[in-house]
């Protein structure tokens, strides 16, 4: 937090005379932006790990002659994980490239990081809203397939189908709230400071 406070103090001092044209070559600012990128890299790392786990599990099930329905379920999990990665990765790469170049005015740099960070979080929250409920229902289905041999066992029993849907809705809602909370904890302070200082430059 000390680095962040120093950053915004420097920005305020630097931007006061010519806020729209002052170049951003401040070491403290660069350190904070790199901290933001580091947190995004951690997020991407988790996605890579889950993609590898689901992908390896799917291949093992397929090559070992496991239940085809299980293989399809795992493939869907891989697709959602890769989709999440493809939504987040471009914003990260843009921020990483900007950080390496280290050019732009104070306003441009603040707006650039604010827009890309907000876009990254919005994408992840949206895919969480789709993925987590489905993942919960797929986990429920996997247990049935593993013991009964087919997902049709669920659809032939309305009470079991309703149980699966309720499980997906409840666990999905909790998972979505958790994902939003984790993003707020990880990136909320950066978004708040970026927005506050952008508004300050407009005044």
């Amino acid at each position: 937090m000390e680095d962040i406070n120093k950053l915004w103090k420097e920005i305020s001092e630097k931007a006061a005379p010519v806020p729209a044209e002052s170049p951003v070559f401040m070491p403290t600012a660069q350190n904070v932006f790199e901290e933001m990128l580091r947190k995004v890299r951690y997020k991407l790392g988790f996605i890579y790990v889950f993609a590898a786990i689901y992908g390896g599990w799917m291949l093992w099930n397929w090559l070992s002659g496991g239940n085809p329905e299980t293989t399809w379920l795992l493939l869907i999990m891989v697709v959602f994980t890769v989709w999440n990665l493809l939504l987040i990765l471009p914003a990260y790469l843009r921020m990483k490239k900007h950080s390496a170049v280290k050019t732009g005015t104070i306003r441009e740099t603040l707006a650039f990081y604010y827009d890309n960070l907000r876009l990254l979080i919005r994408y992840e929250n949206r895919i969480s809203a789709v993925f987590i409920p489905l993942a919960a229902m797929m986990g429920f289905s996997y247990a049935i397939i593993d013991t009964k041999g087919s997902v049709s066992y669920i659809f032939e029993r309305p009470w079991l189908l309703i149980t699966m849907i309720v499980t997906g809705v409840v666990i999905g809602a909790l998972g979505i709230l958790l994902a939003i909370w984790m993003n707020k904890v990880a990136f909320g302070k950066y978004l708040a400071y970026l927005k506050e200082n952008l508004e300050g430059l407009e005044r």
Side-chain angles (χ1 to χ4, degrees), residues 24-80:
V24 179
F25 294 114
M26 297 173 291
T28 308
Q30 192 61 35
N31 289 340
V32 174
F33 294 142
E34 287 174 0
E35 182 184 340
M36 290 165 47
L37 286 176
R38 187 163 54 251
K39 288 190 176 182
V40 177
R41 280 198 298 271
Y42 293 155
K43 182 182 291 294
L44 288 171
F46 281 114
I47 298 174
Y48 289 138
V49 169
F50 279 111
I53 290 173
Y54 289 131
W57 192 359
M58 180 194 69
L59 288 174
W60 176 83
N61 189 77
W62 177 51
L63 295 174
S64 63
N67 191 311
E69 292 185 24
T70 301
T71 302
W72 280 108
L73 282 180
L74 293 170
L75 177 60
I76 293 171
M77 299 293 280
V78 172
V79 169
F80 269 103

Side-chain angles (χ1 to χ4, degrees), residues 13-194:
E13 293 173 352
K14 196 82 174 177
V18 281
E21 300 178 359
S22 298
V24 179
F25 294 114
M26 297 173 291
T28 308
Q30 192 61 35
N31 289 340
V32 174
F33 294 142
E34 287 174 0
E35 182 184 340
M36 290 165 47
L37 286 176
R38 187 163 54 251
K39 288 190 176 182
V40 177
R41 280 198 298 271
Y42 293 155
K43 182 182 291 294
L44 288 171
F46 281 114
I47 298 174
Y48 289 138
V49 169
F50 279 111
I53 290 173
Y54 289 131
W57 192 359
M58 180 194 69
L59 288 174
W60 176 83
N61 189 77
W62 177 51
L63 295 174
S64 63
N67 191 311
E69 292 185 24
T70 301
T71 302
W72 280 108
L73 282 180
L74 293 170
L75 177 60
I76 293 171
M77 299 293 280
V78 172
V79 169
F80 269 103
T81 307
V82 172
W83 182 19
N84 192 11
L85 179 64
L86 292 177
L87 287 175
I88 292 176
L89 190 58
Y92 167 73
L93 292 177
R94 286 192 296 270
M95 289 191 289
K96 182 180 179 182
K97 181 179 179 180
H98 191 283
S99 177
V101 175
K102 300 179 182 178
T103 59
T105 66
I106 289 175
R107 178 176 296 171
E108 289 169 348
T109 300
L110 289 173
F112 176 84
Y113 280 101
Y114 178 74
D115 291 341
N116 280 279
L117 190 60
R118 187 175 58 170
L119 185 66
L120 183 152
I121 293 171
R122 184 190 304 134
Y123 279 152
E124 188 173 46
N125 288 341
R126 286 179 179 177
I127 198 169
S128 295
V130 176
F131 174 73
I132 295 176
L134 287 178
M137 288 189 282
M138 288 178 193
F140 186 95
S141 300
Y142 180 87
I144 299 297
I145 293 171
D146 194 45
T147 56
K148 302 299 182 180
S150 176
V151 72
S152 62
Y153 184 86
I154 297 174
F155 292 96
E156 291 169 357
R157 292 160 177 79
W159 68 269
L160 199 54
L161 180 61
I162 292 172
T163 303
M164 182 184 73
I165 294 172
V166 170
T167 299
V169 170
V170 172
I171 295 179
L174 294 174
I176 292 166
L177 290 174
L178 179 62
I180 293 172
W181 177 79
M182 290 177 66
N183 278 326
K184 185 175 181 180
V185 169
F187 302 107
K189 63 182 179 181
Y190 299 112
L191 283 175
Y193 277 119
L194 289 167

